[in-house]
Amino acid sequence: QLDTHLFSFYLGYSETFNLDVLVSLLRQENAVDLCVIKVPEHIKYAEYFIVVSGISPRHLRAMALYAIKVYKFLRKDGDPNVKIEGKDAEDWMCIDFGKIVVHFMLPETREVYELEKLWILRAYDEQLMRIPPEVLPEDFMYDMEITK
Amino acid sequence: MTLIEIDHIERARVCYIGWIRSTAPSAPLCSVYFNVFLEPCAHVHDVDALAQDMALQRLSGSFSGLIVQNSSKILQRAFSVSVVAAAIQKMTRVRVVDNSSLGNTPYHRPPRVIHVYTKNGVGKVGDKVLLAIKGQKKKALIVGHKMPGDRMTPRFDSNNVVLIEDNGNPTGTRIKVPIPTHLRQMEGDFSKVLAIASSFV
């Protein structure tokens, strides 16, 4: 254990699965349009939000599985296990690594959802502004008393 | 319908997540809660049609796109109302909160739950349900219900639901309503819904 620790330290191999490792492995897999967004602190969701495109559904699946494989290799005791969400949807898969969230989409799906725009522009996003303002019914119960 | 122009916002803090509520339009001070509770209160003026656009701009600037509308037919009740606050089961009417066309086009019947995909027929936050919308069946994910849940989890004033395809992809592309963050810790595929959400609770 100590030997491999020193080995990876001296050779410059990363020991933890951090953002650099993920980005370099995505680049190595020929990911199309890699986009890394730093999520601001007040949104308590994740620290980094990554959107990647692929050439075909098979490419996306291969990238996702490779990312999981590398994560499992670099995982220490105490880090939770990570699963691929959206395995049966062939055009959009996600992996949530705690601090980083990665979305693998096909270019067409990416055009439809425009996740990067939402996460960069947050409240000023175009699609959000296009949603017509909601009118609630006249007798909507606000602030109701829950008898419990 | 009159628009409220807010001149001074003295303090704002996040209160509970409720809905747009206002007191009678003729009152000089108006308490407005939407996602932000304004306190003590702002000065309220009646805005005429010419200034409405300006007010809209300013409001949208300060409150990121939310528009406050004051209904002139507000119901003044002299008794307290306690409402049924149950979780979601078959035949409950739900509110679709994403911007899909199926969820937002008006229909003569509200969308109802026809099946809940859990072991018992009760749906809580994070459960999938089958809805009957506009004469068609559609799967959906529950993102908030009226029933009080665990401590330190949000309770909503309406049963909110996000439409989902059979493969798990959301039908709409944006969700304006706040989404609970404890969805992330739950078992299930929620990252897609969290990715299209614009605000979290």
Side-chain angles (χ1 to χ4, degrees):
Chain A
Q1 182 70 31
L2 192 61
D3 267 351
T4 48
H5 173 89
L6 285 172
F7 176 78
S8 41
F9 176 71
Y10 282 116
L11 273 183
Y13 291 141
S14 172
E15 292 201 42
T16 52
F17 187 84
N18 49 10
L19 183 68
D20 306 317
V21 170
L22 188 55
V23 171
S24 48
L25 81 87
L26 288 174
R27 284 217 182 103
Q28 183 190 341
E29 287 285 306
N30 294 328
V32 178
D33 293 337
L34 168 65
C35 180
V36 178
I37 301 169
K38 170 113 182 63
V39 178
E41 276 301 314
H42 58 88
I43 298 173
K44 305 214 182 341
Y45 178 40
E47 286 174 22
Y48 291 97
F49 190 86
I50 306 183
V51 187
V52 202
S53 284
I55 301 165
S56 66
R58 213 178 148 82
H59 184 208
L60 296 176
R61 198 173 289 272
M63 280 199 284
L65 290 168
Y66 185 52
I68 295 282
K69 197 185 255 192
V70 173
Y71 177 77
K72 281 191 194 170
F73 181 71
L74 291 175
R75 197 171 81 91
K76 308 284 181 302
D77 305 322
D79 292 345
N81 254 327
V82 186
K83 67 176 178 106
I84 304 181
E85 299 180 12
K87 231 177 187 170
D88 45 348
E90 52 180 34
D91 61 343
W92 186 358
M93 277 179 268
C94 326
I95 309 179
D96 185 351
F97 293 110
K99 295 196 178 153
I100 317 169
V101 181
V102 199
H103 289 264
F104 302 92
M105 302 199 272
L106 287 177
E108 306 89 45
T109 322
R110 202 172 173 155
E111 290 297 307
V112 170
Y113 288 102
E114 291 178 343
L115 287 183
E116 315 98 334
K117 280 195 194 168
L118 173 64
W119 282 85
I120 291 175
L121 301 174
R122 226 45 214 146
Y124 298 96
D125 177 56
E126 203 185 6
Q127 288 196 28
L128 262 187
M129 303 244 218
R130 271 202 217 124
I131 302 176
E134 181 137 9
V135 182
L136 291 172
E138 290 296 332
D139 55 352
F140 188 77
M141 305 269 189
Y142 315 104
D143 219 10
M144 55 189 186
E145 277 114 61
I146 301 289
T147 49
K148 196 172 185 183
Chain B
M1 293 271 190
T2 52
L3 281 176
I4 300 174
E5 180 179 335
I6 299 191
D7 267 344
H8 299 290
I9 298 148
E10 295 185 358
R11 274 195 327 261
R13 59 179 168 82
V14 176
C15 185
Y16 80 111
I17 302 303
W19 293 105
I20 301 164
R21 179 223 195 116
S22 53
T23 53
S26 54
L29 289 177
C30 167
S31 61
V32 175
Y33 319 31
F34 30 108
N35 279 351
V36 168
F37 178 72
L38 302 175
E39 176 191 278
C41 277
H43 296 291
V44 173
H45 310 278
D46 269 337
V47 184
D48 62 352
L50 293 170
Q52 258 176 28
D53 293 0
M54 268 172 42
L56 238 176
Q57 290 294 333
R58 277 202 23 206
L59 266 183
S60 347
S62 357
F63 298 110
S64 335
L66 280 173
I67 297 179
V68 176
Q69 285 178 327
N70 180 7
S71 161
S72 45
K73 297 184 268 164
I74 203 89
L75 292 178
Q76 308 275 346
R77 289 193 193 92
F79 45 88
S80 75
V81 186
S82 58
V83 187
V84 179
I88 298 179
Q89 57 183 22
K90 284 193 186 184
M91 295 307 279
T92 48
R93 290 161 293 185
V94 288
R95 176 178 171 223
V96 175
V97 294
D98 55 20
N99 65 344
S100 54
S101 52
L102 193 56
N104 290 73
T105 41
Y107 190 59
H108 55 86
R109 302 189 65 188
R112 273 179 193 258
V113 174
I114 50 181
H115 188 260
V116 182
Y117 292 103
T118 51
K119 290 294 178 188
N120 53 351
V122 180
K124 302 283 175 110
V125 177
D127 292 332
K128 290 225 180 83
V129 294
L130 228 204
L131 298 185
I133 297 187
K134 298 193 73 176
Q136 20 179 313
K137 296 178 278 199
K138 195 82 180 171
K139 278 201 187 173
L141 184 80
I142 302 177
V143 292
H145 50 68
K146 283 188 186 179
M147 177 162 160
D150 284 343
R151 313 290 161 263
M152 296 308 280
T153 52
R155 185 188 74 77
F156 295 80
D157 279 339
S158 63
N159 297 318
N160 300 334
V161 120
V162 172
L163 295 183
I164 271 195
E165 306 287 334
D166 286 329
N167 58 11
N169 282 5
T171 312
T173 55
R174 294 286 183 262
I175 302 176
K176 223 171 179 181
V177 162
I179 301 284
T181 42
H182 66 98
L183 268 181
R184 217 176 154 210
Q185 276 88 42
M186 281 201 228
E187 294 280 322
D189 300 347
F190 306 121
S191 292
K192 298 189 181 179
V193 172
L194 290 170
I196 61 173
S198 67
S199 67
F200 297 99
V201 170

